[in-house]
Amino acid sequence: MKIGNYIKYCFGSNYCHVDAVHAASPKADRFTDEIVAGIVAKTGCAGIIGTVSRTIADLNRPPGPGNDEAVWEYRDVISQFLYNRGLLAPGSRNLARPYLHIGIHGMKDQPHGPLSIEVGTIHGKTCSFRVKKWFGETLKAKVREVSPDIKVIFDKHWVGNQSLASHRWGDGRRYPGYGKNYNAFQVELPGRSESTTGRR
């Protein structure tokens, strides 16, 4: 993996990336770095792992005092992924084809029970309806292979931070986003967080 100031990352061979932005202690989403590394190794997708605590610079928030440099490093690496896969023509920001971004998080609070996974899309702001339906059906089918007792819930408690939607729609002139072909999901896994409470 390449090492930055706030993240480590590797390029992939397909049209998605997976990340664990809260992998560093304190208040780490424990094991999310291992999960991301495992997914990267098995699928060949690109990956990003946060190496700085959210208490120092939260990569899962819009840039601002305290995290500006870290967020821009993170966003720059995502841009490199897109250019590397040929999804962005020079001077263009809109993606030529669908791209998938999966953020892996860990939830200490388990409002839906200990065998639950919550997927956040900010009520559909981070992805298209069609991709959300496909992702939900695929994820539910996969977890049924592990246990029929695992529940998959969308957008109830951990709905995601607005920063996730900014990759799709932007957050101003400095970061216009990549358009409707950028599809992002925040996946909250049970029982893996050192954090106390609050929305992601």
Side-chain angles (χ1 to χ4, degrees):
M1 282 196 162
K2 297 179 181 292
I3 308 295
N5 293 323
Y6 302 94
I7 59 176
K8 56 184 179 179
Y9 59 96
C10 62
F11 289 87
S13 58
N14 49 35
Y15 299 102
C16 73
H17 84 264
V18 60
D19 63 37
V21 295
H22 291 155
S25 293
K27 294 191 175 182
D29 290 353
R30 292 179 296 158
F31 310 119
T32 55
D33 55 345
E34 297 173 27
I35 293 168
V36 166
I39 293 171
V40 167
K42 188 170 184 178
T43 67
C45 70
I48 300 173
I49 296 173
T51 57
V52 62
S53 171
R54 75 180 87 187
T55 62
I56 297 171
D58 194 339
L59 299 171
N60 198 42
R61 293 292 182 270
N67 75 341
D68 190 74
E69 184 178 333
V71 170
W72 285 107
E73 179 178 277
Y74 171 65
R75 289 179 172 185
D76 180 62
V77 167
I78 291 174
S79 178
Q80 290 179 49
F81 289 167
L82 300 177
Y83 276 106
N84 184 61
R85 297 305 302 147
L87 293 173
L88 293 176
S92 173
R93 290 289 293 189
N94 289 324
L95 294 178
R97 58 165 292 165
Y99 184 82
L100 182 62
H101 168 180
I102 302 173
I104 304 294
H105 294 256
M107 54 183 171
K108 182 176 180 180
D109 300 325
Q110 298 169 22
H112 315 297
L115 294 177
S116 62
I117 296 171
E118 181 162 2
V119 181
T121 69
I122 317 179
H123 306 289
K125 290 183 180 179
T126 66
C127 59
S128 72
F129 175 80
R130 179 177 293 180
V131 173
K132 182 178 180 179
K133 184 174 184 291
W134 163 80
F135 187 81
E137 290 173 352
T138 302
L139 181 59
K140 288 173 184 177
K142 291 295 183 183
V143 299
R144 276 197 300 269
E145 295 175 7
V146 177
S147 171
D149 297 324
I150 299 174
K151 297 184 293 185
V152 177
I153 298 102
F154 274 77
D155 292 318
K156 295 293 183 185
H157 185 73
W158 305 109
V159 301
N161 186 271
Q162 186 61 35
S163 63
L164 194 64
S166 67
H167 303 302
R168 185 174 170 89
W169 303 121
D171 61 6
R173 299 175 80 181
R174 192 176 173 197
Y175 194 65
Y178 298 106
K180 63 182 181 180
N181 275 329
Y182 195 103
N183 298 279
F185 297 91
Q186 175 178 291
V187 178
E188 292 278 351
L189 302 175
R192 297 194 180 269
S193 179
E194 296 172 359
S195 62
T196 52
T197 187
R199 295 194 177 274
R200 302 276 175 188

